[in-house]
Amino acid sequence: MKKLLITSMLLFSPLSTVAEEAIGIPAKGGQPEYLFMEKVTRDAAPATAKIISDALALGRLVIFAQMSKIGDPKLGDKGFTGDVFAEQWQAALEAQLIGISPEQEALLKKLIWAGKLSMDINQDRINTQGVKYKHFLPAKWARETGLFFNAKTGVVTKQPSVNYRHPSNVPDATEKKVLSAFVKAGNTAEATGEYTKMGKQAVYRYFEPVKLMTPCLACHGKPKGELDMLGYEKDGMDAGDVVGMISVAIAVKQ
Ligand code: HEC
């Protein structure tokens, strides 16, 4: 009897409710990134961050151009290897190389390494036959590329969005503020940036709006709330609307 009483007290004690509420919430304080291996001068930071952001946007476009092939369930091997991708991406990046410093070029090479790695490790997924949707799309490539690039350099890249699908794209306070200004500006939204700090590190943060094109609307378009082909609720947006942004944080030498 006594045992039963203790068990029921444990089961219904308010403590167990508190414990549940305390599970799965973000730890307070800290910084998601605290070791920035690559640092640039204060003067070079805005242009360097823009080079990284533009390169990610171009890489996204190179993958975007292959989406119907990647989504063809009849095809097995797509021939869209890391090498093939890297070659197309580098061709698209050629204009960016004009006038950049050796330090910026070295950093861009590391981004290209990360982007190629992301393609290499997704080959089995991309080449799966009999499946239309393989969960490989530009945003996923950019997310994984950002992860490898961050591991190698400490530079932080993200794609925060109005209605983000991947949890790693949750906007922080600054990104939320910038994103809401982008959304208000709509089609006329332009890139912006600021010098600030991440923990003790001086950084330059750069934000580039990502606008929707017509083919994006299959998932991010209308009607709002209707399920897209992946089961996510559509965002209810139109072509030209700002869906999110590319966010880059680069360490500044002190
Ligand atoms: C097939 C449905 C689909 C289409 C079409 C699509 N997206 Fe997405 N989008 C997704 C999914 C799923 C994710 C999450 C990918 C991940 O990180 O794994 C995503 C992520 C994003 C993100 C990052 C924020 C987030 O939600 O995690 C941006 C920005 C984005 N998409 C923009 C676009 C743009 C621009 C286009 C058109 C060029 C586009 N999307 C086309 C499904 C789609």
Side-chain angles (χ1 to χ4, degrees):
M1 186 62 194
K2 205 174 174 188
K3 200 174 168 197
L4 193 71
L5 191 70
I6 292 169
T7 317
S8 58
M9 270 172 73
L10 279 175
L11 276 174
F12 298 108
S13 88
L15 267 179
S16 63
T17 327
V18 172
E20 252 169 59
E21 277 169 6
I23 289 171
I25 56 164
K28 292 198 174 82
Q31 280 295 323
E33 176 56 49
Y34 59 90
L35 182 63
F36 293 81
M37 289 84 82
E38 298 276 354
K39 293 179 186 175
V40 295
T41 62
R42 193 178 161 88
D43 287 350
T48 312
K50 182 173 166 25
I51 288 168
I52 292 163
S53 175
D54 288 354
L56 283 172
L58 283 168
R60 285 186 53 134
L61 281 178
V62 170
I63 290 166
F64 184 65
Q66 299 293 325
M67 281 315 288
S68 52
K69 194 176 184 186
I70 292 171
D72 186 343
K74 292 193 290 294
L75 280 181
D77 189 352
K78 314 288 185 299
F80 196 41
T81 60
D83 283 323
V84 170
F85 165 74
E87 201 175 303
Q88 293 181 10
W89 191 21
Q90 267 167 305
L93 286 169
E94 222 149 80
Q96 273 209 317
L97 291 171
I98 300 164
I100 73 171
S101 70
E103 291 81 17
Q104 288 169 332
E105 194 172 347
L107 202 55
L108 191 58
K109 280 217 175 99
K110 289 182 184 174
L111 184 67
I112 293 168
W113 166 86
K116 181 182 173 299
L117 181 59
S118 172
M119 284 306 290
D120 281 337
I121 62 168
N122 275 288
Q123 285 302 301
D124 288 353
R125 177 182 295 275
I126 291 168
N127 293 335
T128 298
Q129 212 169 3
V131 181
K132 185 167 161 50
Y133 179 68
K134 306 171 176 75
H135 197 147
F136 187 84
L137 33 72
K140 176 188 149 89
W141 166 83
R143 171 167 60 79
E144 293 178 349
T145 297
L147 212 65
F148 303 139
F149 186 54
N150 174 263
K152 198 166 179 68
T153 63
V155 178
V156 183
T157 69
K158 263 175 83 182
Q159 302 165 95
S161 281
V162 180
N163 303 308
Y164 60 90
R165 281 157 171 76
H166 198 276
S168 68
N169 288 323
V170 55
D172 64 22
T174 307
E175 288 163 339
K176 252 188 198 167
K177 193 183 67 193
V178 176
L179 196 49
S180 97
F182 281 166
V183 169
K184 273 190 204 118
N187 223 344
T188 60
E190 275 182 33
T192 170
E194 64 182 44
Y195 292 96
T196 177
K197 277 194 161 188
M198 276 188 166
K200 289 180 183 155
Q201 177 62 51
V203 294
Y204 180 77
R205 298 192 67 177
Y206 179 80
F207 311 103
E208 171 84 42
V210 174
K211 294 167 193 165
L212 289 173
M213 299 180 279
T214 304
C216 319
L217 302 181
C219 299
H220 297 285
K222 288 190 164 115
K224 187 177 170 67
E226 187 187 83
L227 298 189
D228 68 18
M229 65 193 86
L230 315 173
Y232 287 102
E233 289 186 6
K234 292 187 189 177
D235 308 54
M237 292 182 168
D238 290 310
D241 283 350
V242 174
V243 67
M245 59 166 144
I246 294 179
S247 166
V248 177
I250 187 156
V252 171
K253 283 180 197 163
Q254 276 164 307

